[in-house]
């Protein structure tokens, strides 16, 4: 079976609060754990009124403390916003509290606008230091050398698994060069997906972390009992993307029956392109579309996201996605006999 995981932004639903969003995230993580999901990752964003996961390490601790077996981590921490030592201490502490369950996915973007990036008190040029910062962070998680003067405590010797995240060839090249696992942000920026996967696999160099490339594909799933229901719950994320692109970010909107009544055609075309790596509809449709994406890109793991306003519909969507992955595994097992 291809492992399947969850990417959550802890969305704040229209009419709800950050308290609701964080409670919903924990409920989703517990639900995912019961459905066989491998990981539950949370993403760092700042100054966004629709996302409650800004203090990502804190939310990871909240979710890890409320679950038992599922791996919990970041998808990702935006490393240019932080000193590597601080992240090593945070995730070293998490790994000490929840051994064998913590992942650290790293991104190069600020995860916010430029004014907010400045307010985070880090130079806007830090993205140029991303490879050096990743290597520094990896060193903090390793066993300390005899003359090492700066150590992450907790952190040293925890060997927290580090992933490189990306939506361009840059991350693919870096992950391949360092011999690290790679996750592509195809759930919102799929343009370079095929090329990035090819570059990563063809240029991968085995390392102490991995013997062979390990690629995780991110996709959206909006699953309901019918195709119409799947399209309806997808409309919340479509509206959120449209609002972000037109400079009006906010809480995750309620679903609508007719998305064309609230988004103009040009904006809709851009949103459709951004969300093209998605499975939307009934259980049968979602299973077929997931299988198509898996066959096309042959990921070692998939990570599923889906910003859905109604929590009950959200839980059901992830349940249908898990059933689709289990069904795919069964069909492949039969075909291999």
């Amino acid at each position: 079976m291809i492992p399947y995981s969850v990417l959550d932004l802890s969305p704040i639903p229209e009419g709800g609060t950050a308290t609701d969003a964080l409670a919903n995230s924990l409920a989703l993580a517990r639900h995912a754990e019961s459905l066989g999901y491998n990981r539950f990752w949370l993403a760092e964003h700042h100054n966004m009124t629709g996302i409650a996961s800004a203090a990502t390490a804190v939310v990871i601790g909240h979710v890890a403390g409320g679950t038992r077996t599922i791996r919990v981590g970041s998808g990702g921490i935006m490393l240019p916003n932080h000193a590597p030592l601080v992240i090593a201490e945070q995730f070293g502490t998490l790994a000490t509290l929840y051994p064998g369950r913590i992942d650290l996915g790293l991104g190069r973007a600020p995860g916010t606008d430029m004014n907010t990036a400045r307010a985070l008190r880090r130079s806007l040029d830090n993205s140029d230091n991303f490879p050096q910062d990743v290597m520094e962070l990896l060193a903090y998680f390793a066993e300390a050398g005899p003359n090492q003067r700066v150590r992450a405590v907790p952190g040293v010797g925890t060997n927290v698994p580090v992933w490189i995240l990306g939506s361009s060839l840059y991350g693919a090249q870096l992950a391949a060069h360092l011999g690290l696992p790679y996750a592509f942000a195809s759930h919102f920026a799929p343009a370079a997906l095929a090329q990035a996967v090819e570059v990563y696999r063809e240029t991968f160099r085995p390392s102490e972390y991995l013997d062979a490339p390990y690629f995780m594909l991110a996709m959206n799933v909006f699953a309901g009992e019918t195709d119409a229901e799947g399209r309806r719950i997808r409309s919340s994320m479509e509206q959120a993307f449209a609002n972000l692109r037109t400079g009006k970010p906010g809480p995750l909107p309620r679903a609508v029956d007719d998305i064309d009544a609230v988004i103009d055609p040009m904006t809709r075309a851009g949103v459709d392109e951004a969300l093209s790596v998605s499975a939307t509809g009934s259980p049968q449709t979602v299973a077929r579309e997931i299988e198509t994406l898996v066959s096309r890109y042959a990921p070692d793991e998939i990570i599923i996201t889906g910003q859905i306003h109604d929590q009950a519909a959200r839980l059901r969507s992830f349940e249908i996605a898990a059933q689709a992955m289990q069904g795919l595994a069964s069909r492949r097992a039969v075909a291999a006999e």
Side-chain angles (χ1 to χ4, degrees), residues 310-335:
D310 180 76
Q311 176 70 354
R314 186 183 184 208
L315 297 177
R316 177 59 177 149
S317 181
F318 278 93
E319 181 179 356
I320 292 171
Q323 292 167 349
M325 290 303 300
Q326 293 159 9
L328 174 60
S330 297
R331 290 191 295 278
R332 291 191 167 193
V334 170

Side-chain angles (χ1 to χ4, degrees), residues 181-201:
Y182 178 56
F184 191 88
S186 35
H187 61 297
F188 74 91
L193 171 58
Q195 189 177 4
V197 175
E198 181 180 6
V199 166
Y200 172 64
R201 287 174 169 154

Side-chain angles (χ1 to χ4, degrees), residues 59-77:
V59 185
I60 289 169
H62 172 63
V63 170
T67 52
R68 296 181 300 163
T69 58
I70 195 168
R71 298 190 65 89
V72 188
S74 62
I77 289 292

Side-chain angles (χ1 to χ4, degrees), residues 169-221:
L169 300 187
Y170 182 96
Q173 293 166 336
L174 180 62
H177 179 77
L178 297 178
L180 294 173
Y182 178 56
F184 191 88
S186 35
H187 61 297
F188 74 91
L193 171 58
Q195 189 177 4
V197 175
E198 181 180 6
V199 166
Y200 172 64
R201 287 174 169 154
E202 290 187 352
T203 63
F204 180 87
R205 305 196 310 187
S207 69
E208 62 184 289
Y209 311 107
L210 276 181
D211 295 328
Y214 192 94
F215 161 62
M216 183 155 64
L217 173 72
M219 69 171 68
N220 303 284
V221 173

Side-chain angles (χ1 to χ4, degrees), residues 209-262:
Y209 311 107
L210 276 181
D211 295 328
Y214 192 94
F215 161 62
M216 183 155 64
L217 173 72
M219 69 171 68
N220 303 284
V221 173
F222 307 97
E225 304 308 323
T226 64
D227 285 347
E229 184 180 350
R231 288 192 297 269
R232 185 177 191 280
I233 62 175
R234 173 179 164 131
S235 70
S236 291
M237 195 162 181
E238 290 173 323
Q239 292 175 81
F241 265 56
N243 291 342
L244 186 62
R245 287 174 174 233
T246 55
K248 300 177 291 185
L252 183 64
R254 293 179 174 86
V256 296
D257 292 322
D258 183 6
I259 189 65
D260 291 321
V262 294

Side-chain angles (χ1 to χ4, degrees), residues 12-336:
I12 300 173
E14 185 179 18
T17 65
T19 300
D20 298 323
L22 294 170
N24 288 345
S25 288
L26 180 55
L28 177 59
R30 289 171 171 164
H31 188 58
E33 186 173 68
S34 73
L35 294 168
Y37 281 87
N38 188 36
R39 313 174 198 273
F40 189 93
W41 281 6
L42 292 135
E44 176 187 350
H45 293 82
H46 299 280
N47 193 31
M48 298 190 72
T49 55
I51 295 176
S53 57
T56 315
V58 177
V59 185
I60 289 169
H62 172 63
V63 170
T67 52
R68 296 181 300 163
T69 58
I70 195 168
R71 298 190 65 89
V72 188
S74 62
I77 289 292
M78 301 297 106
L79 193 54
N81 296 338
H82 311 279
L85 177 60
V86 172
I87 298 303
E89 290 171 340
Q90 290 177 359
F91 280 78
T93 300
L94 288 166
T96 301
L97 291 169
Y98 309 104
R101 293 183 56 206
I102 301 300
D103 299 323
L104 175 54
L106 299 172
R108 181 170 172 254
T112 188
D113 59 88
M114 290 300 100
N115 288 332
T116 307
R118 292 186 183 92
L120 290 167
R121 309 291 179 93
R122 292 275 279 168
S123 167
L124 297 184
D125 296 328
N126 279 341
S127 61
D128 294 336
N129 300 325
F130 184 64
Q132 294 86 349
D133 285 350
V134 172
M135 294 177 68
E136 181 182 345
L137 185 50
L138 288 167
Y140 287 132
F141 289 139
E143 296 293 342
N147 299 315
Q148 185 172 332
R149 301 184 64 180
V150 179
R151 304 183 184 193
V153 182
V156 61
T158 55
N159 295 305
V160 175
V162 171
W163 292 65
I164 300 298
L165 315 182
S167 59
S168 68
L169 300 187
Y170 182 96
Q173 293 166 336
L174 180 62
H177 179 77
L178 297 178
L180 294 173
Y182 178 56
F184 191 88
S186 35
H187 61 297
F188 74 91
L193 171 58
Q195 189 177 4
V197 175
E198 181 180 6
V199 166
Y200 172 64
R201 287 174 169 154
E202 290 187 352
T203 63
F204 180 87
R205 305 196 310 187
S207 69
E208 62 184 289
Y209 311 107
L210 276 181
D211 295 328
Y214 192 94
F215 161 62
M216 183 155 64
L217 173 72
M219 69 171 68
N220 303 284
V221 173
F222 307 97
E225 304 308 323
T226 64
D227 285 347
E229 184 180 350
R231 288 192 297 269
R232 185 177 191 280
I233 62 175
R234 173 179 164 131
S235 70
S236 291
M237 195 162 181
E238 290 173 323
Q239 292 175 81
F241 265 56
N243 291 342
L244 186 62
R245 287 174 174 233
T246 55
K248 300 177 291 185
L252 183 64
R254 293 179 174 86
V256 296
D257 292 322
D258 183 6
I259 189 65
D260 291 321
V262 294
I263 299 179
D264 66 80
M266 183 175 296
T267 302
R268 173 74 188 277
V271 170
D272 285 346
E273 182 178 355
L275 300 181
S276 61
V277 180
S278 299
T280 305
S282 67
Q284 296 78 14
T285 300
V286 162
R288 184 176 64 253
E289 293 181 350
I290 288 177
E291 185 164 6
T292 297
L293 289 167
V294 168
S295 297
R296 181 178 303 160
Y297 298 108
D300 299 289
E301 185 168 343
I302 69 166
I303 189 162
I304 296 169
T305 190
Q307 296 191 49
I308 297 169
H309 182 276
D310 180 76
Q311 176 70 354
R314 186 183 184 208
L315 297 177
R316 177 59 177 149
S317 181
F318 278 93
E319 181 179 356
I320 292 171
Q323 292 167 349
M325 290 303 300
Q326 293 159 9
L328 174 60
S330 297
R331 290 191 295 278
R332 291 191 167 193
V334 170

